[in-house]
Amino acid sequence: MEAGENEVVELELRLLLEGIHERYHYDFRGYTSSSLRRRVTRALEQLGCATISRLQEQVLRDENVFAQLLQFLTVQVSDLFRDPSYWKALRDQVTPMLGTWPSLKLWVAGVATGEELYSLAILLQEEGLLERSLIYATDVNAEALRSAEKGIFALDRLRGFSENYFQAGGTRSLSDYYTAAYGGAVFSRRLIEHVVFSDHDLATDSSFSETQLVSCRNVLIYFTPPLQERALGLFSDSLVHGGYLCLGSRETIRFSSVAEDYEEVV
């Protein structure tokens, strides 16, 4: 792409994000440009638009087009017990401390389609903590939240899920937690009896109070530094003294203003 054309695309992208913010009050202006460009490029192909300007026109005039675009901008497919070593460390080193609180509040930010949520719920169940836990499951994408609440995953993903589960220290069979139905695996409703699903935008909304654990894994990597700083501030405001912040393997608080408030555990 030539320099001049690249500048036009960047301008189109900025105008699209400003238009979305003004029209629908979703704020993607703090997401990294490279990530947004990849997602918008995929959206152009699927929605039949030759340019971002053409996409912007349709998005601003048709809420249904915006709803379709939102799926490209936000949904990140994960796996149950993704990065098993993380879940093993959470089980061995963190849940014993969580067990010292009489009741628990946990916040899964950027829950997407629910893989992280169900992994956490299963772990808490096996450690005897789920019944006294309240979990806030949040995402900017309402459609993703509805998918997470349904808890249905494709059957061909179950083998990988099960392998991760055992590597993460699972104490039962993963099949104990789901039923094969509707062409997929439906996870038990008991896992989400203590879950509150809520629309939440880390770019604009406030924090949940008095939580013992915040999980926001593989989300901050898509944010610019100012938005990362805002999100980390929300998490710090939410956590009680001695609470835990869980991030992805490629994410760090090292250069943030809240770094001195934490001690690395895992």
Side-chain angles (χ1 to χ4, degrees):
M1 184 180 293
E2 297 182 359
E5 184 179 355
N6 187 63
E7 291 175 0
V8 170
V9 170
E10 286 294 328
L11 175 59
E12 286 183 311
L13 184 59
R14 289 198 303 272
L15 291 174
L16 173 65
L17 300 182
E18 289 290 346
I20 289 173
H21 183 247
E22 289 292 325
R23 176 76 168 82
Y24 299 105
H25 310 295
Y26 283 76
D27 195 350
F28 296 102
R29 297 173 298 177
Y31 287 55
T32 60
S33 176
S34 58
S35 172
L36 284 171
R37 286 184 64 163
R38 288 195 301 271
R39 300 184 198 184
V40 170
T41 297
R42 291 197 295 270
L44 291 177
E45 297 171 356
Q46 294 297 315
L47 299 177
C49 295
T51 65
I52 297 176
S53 294
R54 177 58 179 160
L55 176 63
Q56 179 188 30
E57 179 183 359
Q58 294 193 25
V59 163
L60 296 183
R61 292 179 178 274
D62 190 336
E63 294 182 7
N64 292 325
V65 176
F66 171 65
Q68 294 177 63
L69 175 61
L70 191 60
Q71 308 315 307
F72 291 93
L73 295 180
T74 60
V75 173
Q76 298 297 313
V77 176
S78 185
D79 287 318
L80 256 71
F81 294 97
R82 178 181 180 182
D83 188 3
S85 62
Y86 159 80
W87 291 101
K88 185 69 166 60
L90 190 66
R91 183 187 296 270
D92 294 343
Q93 300 182 45
V94 176
T95 56
M97 298 305 299
L98 293 179
T100 64
W101 274 287
S103 62
L104 294 169
K105 289 183 181 179
L106 308 96
W107 178 14
V108 182
V111 73
T113 49
E115 290 88 343
E116 190 87 4
L117 169 65
Y118 286 92
S119 301
L120 179 61
I122 290 170
L123 186 150
L124 292 173
Q125 174 68 26
E126 294 184 350
E127 297 302 314
L129 300 176
L130 186 59
E131 291 299 315
R132 52 187 167 111
S133 298
L134 174 64
I135 305 174
Y136 300 110
T138 68
D139 201 277
V140 69
N141 187 337
E143 182 62 31
L145 282 173
R146 285 189 286 271
S147 179
E149 190 167 5
K150 292 176 181 177
I152 302 174
F153 300 98
L155 287 174
D156 60 7
R157 303 180 67 191
L158 268 295
R159 181 175 179 179
F161 288 176
S162 295
E163 291 175 356
N164 288 347
Y165 168 72
F166 283 116
Q167 292 177 30
T171 61
R172 301 171 60 178
S173 169
L174 187 63
S175 62
D176 292 341
Y177 298 104
Y178 67 82
T179 302
Y182 308 109
V186 183
F187 276 75
S188 171
R189 300 293 86 194
R190 295 184 62 185
L191 293 172
I192 59 170
E193 285 180 351
H194 303 277
V195 176
V196 176
F197 292 91
S198 177
D199 292 349
H200 186 277
D201 189 344
L202 292 171
T204 58
D205 293 329
S206 57
S207 63
F208 294 85
S209 62
E210 301 295 306
T211 62
Q212 281 77 29
L213 182 144
V214 173
S215 174
C216 185
R217 302 180 66 230
N218 306 303
V219 174
L220 297 183
I221 54 175
Y222 299 107
F223 291 176
T224 60
L227 184 52
Q228 289 179 1
E229 188 72 22
R230 186 185 196 281
L232 290 170
L234 292 181
F235 301 152
S236 290
D237 290 343
S238 175
L239 286 166
V240 300
H241 181 71
Y244 293 87
L245 174 61
C246 304
L247 301 176
S249 59
R250 292 189 292 159
E251 296 167 327
T252 182
I253 62 170
R254 189 172 303 160
F255 304 108
S256 74
S257 63
V258 303
E260 62 183 23
D261 298 335
Y262 293 89
E263 177 183 343
E264 187 171 346
V265 175
V266 179

